[in-house]
Amino acid sequence: MALIFYARVSSKGQNLDRQLVRAKQVKADKIFTDKFSGKSTNRIGLKKLLDFIREGDTVEVVSLDRLSRNYQDIQHLVQQFKDQKIKLIVDDLPQTNTGNNLVDQFMLDMMLNLMSFVAQNERKKIRERQRQGIEQAKKRGVYKGRAKKYAANSSNREGRLVYEGIKRDYQNNDYKTKAELARKYGVTRQQLYRIIDTF
């Protein structure tokens, strides 16, 4: 029976340190991690965890939204754990130990349902606030949209270099076909056309 810890952050720019400290504190036998959005369960670390777990194991997370931010996905994962007789520990949920397994399971199910609903609802609120912010920015004429990776002023150094290289080759006619130019710089043809449109 192993204790498996799962840690997730939404993007590569964020770090897992706080969650990994907790994994060490509880002496996890195995740790799986993801740096990917919680809106989908299509994550490499989560898939590896689901392949790894066996009956009698325990899965621990610091909070329920580390598993997912989607209500149905959380329900599905929790049911999968139950079916495999995997215990789930969520650090920010109180653990019930009444001595009656049926009552403990009922209390846990109730809390999981509530917290998974809260996680999805919070995600909806975040999206709504983003939408309202974009609308207000558009009205003020200050909305610039998502920053472009391939642009002269891109904050991504590699993106700037690719942009400058394509611009130089394109303007100097230093290419045979656009498909070849796209391959040279590791971009799709659609991306190449969008870059060329900015010259």
Side-chain angles (χ1 to χ4, degrees):
M1 293 188 293
L3 172 59
I4 298 106
F5 199 94
Y6 178 68
R8 181 189 68 78
V9 288
S10 295
S11 69
K12 290 180 180 176
Q14 297 174 309
N15 72 64
L16 294 157
D17 293 352
R18 182 179 68 87
Q19 295 174 68
L20 296 179
V21 164
R22 178 62 181 163
K24 282 187 179 179
Q25 286 173 345
V26 298
K27 296 181 171 60
D29 299 299
K30 187 80 176 170
I31 301 168
F32 293 96
T33 64
D34 276 309
K35 289 193 171 186
F36 203 80
S37 168
K39 66 184 177 183
S40 164
T41 55
N42 187 20
R43 292 172 249 139
I44 293 170
L46 182 61
K47 284 181 177 178
K48 286 181 179 177
L49 178 147
L50 295 173
D51 287 340
F52 181 84
I53 53 176
R54 298 291 179 266
E55 183 176 326
D57 287 346
T58 299
V59 171
E60 183 167 351
V61 289
V62 295
S63 61
L64 200 57
D65 63 3
R66 297 306 86 199
L67 282 177
S68 178
R69 287 189 174 273
N70 180 286
Y71 181 75
Q72 280 77 26
D73 287 343
I74 291 173
Q75 297 296 328
H76 177 74
L77 286 168
V78 169
Q79 189 59 52
Q80 192 171 340
F81 292 149
K82 277 188 198 174
D83 293 344
Q84 290 184 255
K85 296 183 172 57
I86 306 293
K87 183 180 179 185
L88 175 63
I89 295 176
V90 182
D91 290 344
D92 65 359
L93 287 182
Q95 299 298 309
T96 53
N97 294 294
T98 64
N100 183 324
N101 287 342
L102 192 61
V103 171
D104 288 349
Q105 190 59 57
F106 171 75
M107 294 295 287
L108 179 61
D109 288 348
M110 194 167 63
M111 286 187 286
L112 287 172
N113 281 327
L114 177 62
M115 294 307 292
S116 57
F117 170 77
V118 168
Q120 178 163 325
N121 198 45
E122 181 57 27
R123 190 166 157 262
K124 281 183 180 174
K125 284 181 181 175
I126 289 168
R127 282 204 309 264
E128 179 60 20
R129 287 195 293 267
Q130 286 172 335
R131 187 189 64 75
Q132 290 172 350
I134 289 169
E135 277 183 15
Q136 291 301 316
K138 282 180 178 176
K139 284 178 185 174
R140 294 194 309 271
V142 294
Y143 180 67
K144 294 179 178 146
R146 185 178 290 180
K148 290 180 181 175
K149 180 179 178 181
Y150 303 112
N153 60 350
S154 172
S155 59
N156 182 301
R157 182 176 178 275
E158 181 191 342
R160 284 197 311 274
L161 292 173
V162 167
Y163 176 87
E164 293 300 337
I166 290 172
K167 184 177 180 181
R168 181 182 60 249
D169 288 358
Y170 182 76
Q171 291 179 337
N172 292 335
N173 249 355
D174 190 14
Y175 66 98
K176 290 179 184 174
T177 66
K178 287 181 180 171
E180 179 195 81
L181 187 59
R183 275 196 304 276
K184 178 180 177 181
Y185 288 98
V187 297
T188 66
R189 275 190 284 183
Q190 288 81 5
Q191 286 173 321
L192 178 73
Y193 296 140
R194 283 198 292 269
I195 292 167
I196 289 171
D197 284 344
T198 66
F199 300 158

